[in-house]
Amino acid sequence: MTEYFEVHARDGAARVGELRLESSRATPGLVDGVLEDAGSLWSADREVPDGDESTLTVLPHRSFPGGTAAEVQESFAVDYPDVDYPSVAVVSSESADDHGTDAYVLSNVQSVMGHGAALVEAVVNVREAIPADTALLFSGVATPRNVAVLAYAGVDLFDETAAVVKGTEGRYLTTDEAYFLEDLEELPCSCPACQKPREEFTREDCAEHNVNALLAELGIVRRRIRDGRLRDYVEGQARHDQWLTAAMRELDSQWGYLEERTPILRDAEISAATEDALRRVEIQRYADRVTTRYRNRFRNPLVLVPCSAAKPYSESQSHRQFHDAIQWRAHLVSMTSPIGVVPQELETTYPAQHYDTVVTGRWSEDEKEFVSEVLRRYLKRNEYPSIVAHVPDEGYRDIVSRVADDLDLEIEYTVPEGGHPTDDESLSNLSEALSGELKYSKREREHNTVRAIADYLLGDGAGDDLFSDIQTTSRYPKIQVRDRQDTQLATMVPQYGTLSFTLEGANHWVDSDVPVKRVEIDGFVPHGSVLAPGVVDADEEIRVGDEVVVEGPKAFGVGRAEMFGREMAESTRGIACEIRHVEET
């Protein structure tokens, strides 16, 4: 826990924070000029320095290089003192622990750079061992090319050492390459150091440029984190170095580490420009919840349709034509890469209406396999009286055929070979395939939408437990949920496709059998927000964006999480959750 570091914005494991010294520093950022090293205990005994709030002090330490035997690290471990100024402990990724400092510097950082799996293992080991609200420092390794990936992994602090050293060696750094200075005919930069003729540009100037380029890249990284779009940037940036691409993919395999830190909703668009988007936490989480929590409640046939560029799908021209043909006689499920399958009730739920993808009409084998697996799991869980596939040849039909063969399903295809789903013949076939089917009502549609969203957000069966007997008012997608006594329980939030509970709805949630995402607070009545120091405990299942119940000796409230559960319980600064409604108890 720390008094000198505060996180202000989160994007997965990456954070924008503030190093709260006399002159504060934004993070991810450089600490040159404010970092003081009290020295290594290997060479001599060291006194604990007086320290002050103008600097970040590395306490007397022993560094262990990568591969140091565990018994050696244990025998020579340092007992760090409790000090009242901003402090740093030196830790190895193989033996990291909580030492009560504000930041931690990785001693074996040089041995993990250049190796994707080793880097990810080191970062995850350290971040899981130290408190969530403390900073992680990588010294001597940051360059404009790698710093975005390092920040994405969860590193907060850097220094300019590598940039300066490479500059004095005559290496001119950019975000995509390290050029030998003598190979440059012109300077591809407009920073202050580069405002001179090429023939006058020295190695000292090169070092200055490298630092400027590093600072500029850190500024972009912070902006991307605030926008919730660092991953989009990293997918492109990592391509400049194979080991950075490997590191990004290794991080994707660290599901527990990234999922805990990734919000369940946000306004930011997901740019699915590469196949790596299939492995993103938001995509995998959506596919998992749709295939383990969602339950179809309609008794009508299933119609599978292609996605649309416009979001939500129902507002697109193509889907309006589908609806005109279907006339509420079937349950509509859209197929798409990289999301998988999207039941009509969840078309506004993040990230179903928040992604954009490259449209070429050609599907890669990875895309086909991913969507096939999601559709397979969906159809194994949900039964329909019949299935209609209103999909074109390109990719879609191949996917449906694979799943039909695997599950031994009978599928009726309504788009002629070589045809388009919005052709007159195709739409006529679709309408004819549903001849004789009864329409479901607007009431059934809205009630099932509310229940489906509750399942997605709170768990399998939550919709039926919480909203078995309700009435809905207002117009889709701003549905208001009321009980039979006309008491409002929740409202659908169209920009996220989620539910916001009232106090009555929160009480109904607490009284139900649905697991409650609970934040326990101290003896005060919060107004507007709950700060982390006021949190006594929090459910570890809470994710940023989750609906939460806030309870304490003096208050009962409901709101939205701004930290994940463990972070709420561990942090001493920052907003834990925003309160929507509260009552004094």
Side-chain angles (χ1 to χ4, degrees):
M1 296 186 181
T2 175
E3 296 182 17
Y4 299 102
F5 179 67
E6 180 175 349
V7 177
H8 295 303
R10 298 161 183 80
D11 186 7
R15 302 99 60 86
V16 167
E18 179 186 4
L19 193 57
R20 300 172 67 95
L21 308 178
E22 282 185 358
S23 179
S24 66
R25 294 283 179 103
T27 69
L30 303 181
V31 292
D32 300 272
V34 296
L35 193 68
E36 295 289 340
D37 188 353
S40 170
L41 293 169
W42 288 120
S43 57
D45 290 334
R46 308 281 181 176
E47 294 293 328
V48 176
D50 292 337
D52 61 58
E53 295 188 358
S54 67
T55 58
L56 187 62
T57 302
V58 182
L59 298 173
H61 55 274
R62 292 190 182 94
S63 297
F64 300 103
T68 302
E71 55 269 26
V72 173
Q73 296 196 39
E74 184 177 351
S75 297
F76 291 95
V78 174
D79 186 14
Y80 287 97
D82 184 16
V83 296
D84 59 359
Y85 50 80
S87 60
V88 184
V90 178
V91 297
S92 163
S93 63
E94 298 161 346
S95 59
D97 202 359
D98 177 7
H99 296 292
T101 54
D102 306 286
Y104 295 80
V105 60
L106 187 66
S107 64
N108 58 319
V109 64
Q110 294 290 345
S111 65
V112 302
M113 294 297 288
H115 307 279
L119 170 72
V120 171
E121 182 181 9
V123 174
V124 172
N125 284 349
V126 175
R127 285 250 62 110
E128 296 284 76
I130 64 179
D133 65 340
T134 54
L136 177 59
L137 167 61
F138 271 25
S139 178
V141 297
T143 67
R145 183 160 62 175
N146 68 29
V147 74
V149 174
L150 296 178
Y152 176 70
V155 184
D156 305 287
L157 304 175
F158 307 93
D159 60 27
E160 59 188 45
T161 302
V164 171
V165 168
K166 290 181 183 296
T168 56
E169 292 173 346
R171 301 298 296 274
Y172 186 97
L173 303 183
T174 68
T175 56
D176 64 342
E177 191 54 271
Y179 297 96
F180 285 107
L181 192 55
E182 56 266 28
D183 292 337
L184 289 178
E185 296 177 354
E186 60 179 289
L187 303 175
C189 175
S190 59
C191 77
C194 297
Q195 299 303 302
K196 60 176 58 178
R198 167 66 188 87
E199 57 273 15
E200 297 178 12
F201 192 81
T202 66
R203 291 192 174 195
E204 288 73 21
D205 295 324
C206 188
E208 183 183 344
H209 154 79
N210 288 351
V211 173
N212 290 339
L214 179 57
L215 287 168
E217 182 70 355
L218 284 166
I220 291 172
V221 168
R222 291 193 295 271
R223 181 67 264 165
R224 284 283 181 160
I225 295 171
R226 292 187 184 100
D227 292 341
R229 299 197 63 184
L230 180 59
R231 172 55 185 254
D232 295 344
Y233 184 69
V234 166
E235 284 188 17
Q237 187 60 25
R239 291 294 187 275
H240 299 306
D241 202 322
Q242 286 85 345
W243 87 268
L244 293 175
T245 301
M248 180 186 69
R249 292 175 178 173
E250 287 289 339
L251 271 169
D252 286 342
S253 70
Q254 294 287 337
W255 170 258
Y257 175 74
L258 279 186
E259 192 279 330
E260 182 180 40
R261 293 163 170 80
T262 301
I264 66 157
L265 54 84
R266 49 186 161 192
D267 287 326
E269 178 186 278
I270 291 177
S271 179
T274 74
E275 290 181 24
D276 284 310
L278 295 171
R279 291 180 282 272
R280 290 179 63 146
V281 166
E282 301 96 319
I283 302 302
Q284 294 288 333
R285 179 196 278 149
Y286 187 91
D288 177 70
R289 291 191 178 191
V290 164
T291 55
T292 62
R293 296 184 176 191
Y294 172 83
R295 179 77 67 183
N296 169 50
R297 294 175 170 86
F298 294 98
R299 295 177 295 277
N300 302 67
L302 166 66
V303 173
L304 295 169
V305 297
C307 65
S308 66
K311 315 289 188 310
Y313 302 137
S314 61
E315 296 183 5
S316 70
Q317 183 177 354
S318 61
H319 278 241
R320 288 195 184 103
Q321 291 176 285
F322 300 158
H323 281 293
D324 287 344
I326 293 170
Q327 289 291 307
W328 309 113
R329 294 175 293 170
H331 181 225
L332 199 68
V333 172
S334 301
M335 297 169 54
T336 178
S337 175
I339 303 293
V341 300
V342 181
Q344 63 189 33
E345 307 96 299
L346 299 180
E347 68 165 0
T348 64
T349 299
Y350 181 86
Q353 73 161 330
H354 301 81
Y355 77 97
D356 196 9
T357 188
V358 178
V359 179
T360 64
R362 295 183 297 274
W363 291 63
S364 71
E365 184 55 37
D366 283 349
E367 289 177 302
K368 288 181 181 180
E369 183 54 40
F370 174 74
V371 178
S372 295
E373 179 58 25
V374 176
L375 180 60
R376 182 181 297 111
R377 291 169 60 192
Y378 178 88
L379 291 176
K380 287 183 70 173
R381 177 175 168 84
N382 294 286
E383 293 186 2
Y384 290 90
S386 61
I387 301 175
V388 175
H390 189 71
V391 296
D393 295 336
E394 302 90 354
Y396 289 102
R397 187 154 184 158
D398 185 17
I399 291 168
V400 174
S401 297
R402 292 184 188 188
V403 176
D405 291 344
D406 185 55
L407 300 180
D408 194 23
L409 297 172
E410 185 176 332
I411 307 288
E412 181 175 359
Y413 295 92
T414 51
V415 179
E417 187 174 344
H420 191 275
T422 58
D423 291 344
D424 289 343
E425 183 182 359
S426 299
L427 293 171
S428 177
N429 292 343
L430 175 58
S431 181
E432 181 63 28
L434 300 174
S435 177
E437 297 291 342
L438 298 177
K439 295 182 180 181
Y440 51 82
S441 66
K442 174 185 175 184
R443 173 182 174 277
E444 183 178 2
R445 184 168 74 249
E446 291 184 347
H447 289 198
N448 285 350
T449 296
V450 169
R451 292 167 186 146
I453 293 173
D455 286 344
Y456 181 89
L457 294 174
L458 304 177
D460 187 14
D464 291 332
D465 284 347
L466 289 176
F467 303 120
S468 60
D469 188 19
I470 58 171
Q471 54 182 331
T472 52
T473 59
S474 194
R475 296 183 61 182
Y476 177 87
K478 298 181 180 180
I479 298 172
Q480 292 186 359
V481 187
R482 299 177 180 273
D483 63 18
R484 289 300 172 183
Q485 289 71 48
D486 203 35
T487 301
Q488 185 174 342
L489 303 177
T491 300
M492 182 176 167
V493 184
Q495 60 262 44
Y496 305 123
T498 186
L499 295 173
S500 291
F501 287 86
T502 62
L503 279 176
E504 292 77 8
N507 275 297
H508 181 55
W509 183 12
V510 169
D511 293 339
S512 75
D513 293 329
V514 177
V516 178
K517 296 183 178 181
R518 185 179 276 106
V519 179
E520 182 184 348
I521 62 172
D522 229 327
F524 64 96
V525 180
H527 296 285
S529 59
V530 172
L531 300 180
V535 174
V536 176
D537 199 6
D539 188 337
E540 288 193 358
E541 297 303 309
I542 293 172
R543 301 292 179 261
V544 175
D546 264 330
E547 198 75 357
V548 293
V549 168
V550 178
E551 290 183 296
K554 295 184 177 181
F556 177 87
V558 64
R560 183 158 291 155
E562 296 294 329
M563 296 179 176
F564 61 89
R566 186 166 58 84
E567 186 180 22
M568 290 185 188
E570 292 180 358
S571 296
T572 54
R573 285 188 174 276
I575 296 174
C577 55
E578 294 288 357
I579 299 297
R580 186 182 312 109
H581 306 289
V582 66
E583 63 181 359
E584 191 169 353
T585 59

